[in-house]
Amino acid sequence: GNMVDAKVINNNSIGSYWANGIRVAGGRNSLVQGNCVTDTGDNNGIRVGQFGGAGNPCESVLVTQNLINRGAGIRGAVAGMMVTDGAVATITTNTIADARQAGVLVINCTASFTNNTVTRPTLQGFEIPSGSAGSGKFINNIVSSLNSGQAAFQNDASGTFSTTLSGNSWQGAIFYQNTQYGGTASQALPVGTYTLSQLAAQGMPNDWASSVRVPSGRTVIMYASDNFAGTSWTLTSDTPDFTALSPSANDAVSSVKVQ
């Protein structure tokens, strides 16, 4: 029978080789909490799934409050954390730092990822490879300090792996030249502060915007002057017409904060 109620709590796993730092290989109602995994030699920092094709399934597991430093070794497609093999998993409030490949690799699972922090991954922050199947919820996760050309979130299996995203750091506000989201669009602005010159670099000239799409869970504060001065407007949802704001913000935005 499957393992039930297994718990792995408050351990250190340092310098593992030919193995994962911690592995969830099947089980029901498992808990992996408060562990530190560092310097994985050639495999995943933490892997969640089952053991081989004949192993028991991972029916339910909570992976929370773990720290993974320099996870992901050199053996194939591995990551700071991998969730795979049809696992049903809740992944929350973990920190994955300096992963040698992707921060989190998501393959063939049903999982939720909430309030996790991925910093300085070598490749993507979160990656769903082509051919993966299943579904994932990605809510309030933070990815920072990416290498040039790497994506915070990359789903290469959009036809077979469905995703729900809300409040993640890479989800940005998009401004439009015309009302009703018409005309030219700016680049997506993730969480951060944007002066007049920084907005221009993102495809949003001064006194240009007339509407904005605001991702769920985000707040956009617009300012009439550069450097976050002058009249301000605070928006928490899509706003199709800046002329309807009081006072009108149409063609009047010069700096922005996205929170």
Side-chain angles (χ1 to χ4, degrees):
N2 213 345
M3 297 180 294
V4 179
D5 297 329
K7 295 176 174 61
V8 180
I9 301 174
N10 297 340
N11 301 281
N12 292 318
S13 175
I14 302 171
S16 62
Y17 191 72
W18 289 102
N20 303 279
I22 293 176
R23 183 167 184 175
V24 178
R28 182 185 316 122
N29 196 34
S30 303
L31 174 64
V32 177
Q33 178 178 329
N35 302 284
C36 177
V37 178
T38 185
D39 293 306
T40 307
D42 70 335
N43 222 311
N44 302 281
I46 295 179
R47 174 171 174 150
V48 177
Q50 68 183 53
F51 194 83
N56 283 318
C58 178
E59 299 177 40
S60 56
V61 62
L62 172 62
V63 181
T64 183
Q65 299 174 27
N66 300 285
L67 171 63
I68 305 173
N69 279 319
R70 296 178 298 278
I74 60 174
R75 191 195 300 183
V78 295
M81 180 183 296
M82 178 190 289
V83 183
T84 186
D85 302 329
V88 179
T90 299
I91 313 296
T92 181
T93 323
N94 300 282
T95 298
I96 299 103
D98 297 304
R100 296 187 181 98
Q101 296 196 46
V104 180
L105 196 56
V106 183
I107 310 172
N108 299 333
C109 64
T110 302
S112 65
F113 300 84
T114 61
N115 297 308
N116 300 287
T117 300
V118 179
T119 60
R120 297 178 301 277
T122 298
L123 302 178
Q124 303 90 344
F126 289 81
E127 181 190 5
I128 305 169
S130 176
S132 298
S135 63
K137 294 181 180 179
F138 301 83
I139 300 172
N140 295 337
N141 300 287
I142 297 172
V143 176
S144 64
S145 301
L146 286 163
N147 286 323
S148 178
Q150 298 298 333
F153 180 86
Q154 183 171 321
N155 184 1
D156 291 327
S158 57
T160 54
F161 194 100
S162 63
T163 59
T164 301
L165 292 88
S166 176
N168 301 290
S169 65
W170 60 85
Q171 292 181 267
I174 300 177
F175 286 86
Y176 296 83
Q177 183 178 15
N178 299 333
T179 61
Q180 306 300 324
Y181 319 116
T184 304
S186 72
Q187 297 181 36
L189 305 181
V191 171
T193 57
Y194 301 88
T195 63
L196 188 152
S197 61
Q198 290 170 324
L199 287 176
Q202 299 295 322
M204 181 177 165
N206 187 38
D207 295 341
W208 170 87
S210 298
S211 55
V212 64
R213 290 199 181 276
V214 180
S216 175
R218 289 278 167 256
T219 298
V220 172
I221 307 173
M222 309 184 303
Y223 297 86
S225 301
D226 193 12
N227 296 314
F228 322 110
T231 303
S232 66
W233 301 265
T234 300
L235 308 176
T236 57
S237 61
D238 291 354
T239 304
D241 187 352
F242 285 177
T243 65
L245 298 175
S246 182
S248 171
N250 191 54
D251 294 338
V253 178
S254 297
S255 56
V256 170
K257 292 180 180 179
V258 182
Q259 302 173 339

